[in-house]
Amino acid sequence: MNISISKTINTILKTTTKSLFVMLAMAAGFNVTAANADETLKTVQKQWAKCQYDTFNKENKISCLNSLIAMNQEALDSDPSRDDLKVWLAINKSTLAGAEGGLGALSLVKEAKGMLEEVISSDSQVLEGSAYTSLGSLYYQVPGWPIGFGDDDEAELMLQKALVINPKGIDPNFFYGDFLANNGDKAQAIAFLKKAQKAAPREGRELADQGRQREIERKLKELE
């Protein structure tokens, strides 16, 4: 789950909404409202990876994420009990915030924070503790007071809780390593990044794993 939030809030929100993913889903015969929630979740995960790692033009990425958020929201509205879909809606909104930047980014990450806190209160174990991972990454990447809610102490607490639930996972180890690197703990950062590098592949998440591994490699080159 790559959540890169600009720490310099210096542009005005520009929202471009297109229906690229919805049109692709319809063309493929995918019925968003009638689809099984588990299959919808897999589709959301795969499409996020395409938006994040396979879409390089900024406007196209924003369009891709807006369409994905619309589909994710519709699926969650159809079954509000699905905390896994809520986690992914938060991830998608956070990713859009990183892509857009600007004043609108703060609104998006605050929405994401609220959703992740709801999931933690409801079922903190869902998706192997991904709500903790995502919330922790927000806490260390979002600016602190008075601009945002960023808090390194909370970030570390959330990320450590994620690691308790999923100690060998690629995402909790990557984000904790990145957090440690940002805070100057080079040796420990390298250790957690290398652990992330050795994480087992995730079935159906090949593109996401490839993208994350590239991020891990870049971060390790910066540190070593």
Side-chain angles (χ1 to χ4, degrees):
M1 289 167 275
N2 180 20
I3 305 170
S4 177
I5 307 299
S6 172
K7 291 191 177 182
T8 303
I9 308 299
N10 60 1
T11 59
I12 301 300
L13 174 65
K14 294 181 179 179
T15 303
T16 304
T17 56
K18 298 180 182 178
S19 57
L20 174 62
F21 178 68
V22 174
M23 289 189 292
L24 289 173
M26 291 175 65
F30 182 80
N31 187 325
V32 173
T33 57
N36 177 274
D38 291 333
E39 291 304 312
T40 303
L41 177 64
K42 291 177 184 178
T43 301
V44 168
Q45 291 172 325
K46 289 180 180 179
Q47 186 64 18
W48 174 85
K50 290 181 180 179
C51 294
Q52 179 67 4
Y53 295 121
D54 221 16
T55 308
F56 304 104
N57 176 274
K58 178 180 177 179
E59 293 304 317
N60 288 346
K61 179 171 287 192
I62 291 171
S63 174
C64 184
L65 289 164
N66 271 311
S67 297
L68 178 55
I69 287 169
M71 190 274 280
N72 195 160
Q73 183 69 65
E74 184 175 355
L76 183 59
D77 289 344
S78 296
D79 191 350
S81 68
R82 294 289 300 224
D83 283 334
D84 47 7
L85 288 172
K86 186 176 288 186
V87 169
W88 270 96
L89 184 57
I91 290 171
N92 287 323
K93 290 195 174 191
S94 299
T95 306
L96 178 61
E100 287 187 329
L103 297 176
L106 284 176
S107 176
L108 285 166
V109 293
K110 285 178 181 177
E111 290 177 28
K113 176 177 179 287
M115 286 186 283
L116 294 168
E117 289 171 338
E118 289 174 5
V119 171
I120 288 170
S121 295
S122 172
D123 182 6
S124 61
Q125 303 288 317
V126 71
L127 294 174
E128 297 184 291
S130 290
Y132 282 127
T133 304
S134 299
L135 185 55
S137 65
L138 284 179
Y139 269 120
Y140 81 82
Q141 294 185 78
V142 169
W145 188 89
I147 298 173
F149 58 82
D151 185 319
D152 281 351
D153 290 338
E154 285 294 323
E156 186 160 30
L157 177 63
M158 295 296 107
L159 292 170
Q160 287 176 345
K161 286 184 176 182
L163 284 165
V164 170
I165 297 171
N166 187 15
K168 296 182 180 179
I170 188 170
D171 286 338
N173 280 287
F174 167 74
F175 282 110
Y176 193 47
D178 189 50
F179 166 78
L180 292 168
N182 287 355
N183 283 273
D185 193 343
K186 181 178 176 180
Q188 283 296 305
I190 290 172
F192 278 96
L193 289 168
K194 286 188 173 179
K195 193 172 180 180
Q197 201 170 41
K198 296 176 183 177
R202 296 173 292 185
E203 185 178 355
R205 305 289 310 282
E206 291 81 10
L207 181 57
D209 283 347
Q210 292 166 13
R212 185 70 79 212
Q213 287 292 353
R214 290 195 296 270
E215 291 176 328
I216 294 167
E217 186 178 357
R218 285 195 296 270
K219 182 61 68 173
L220 283 171
K221 285 181 179 178
E222 293 174 8
L223 295 170
E224 292 179 328

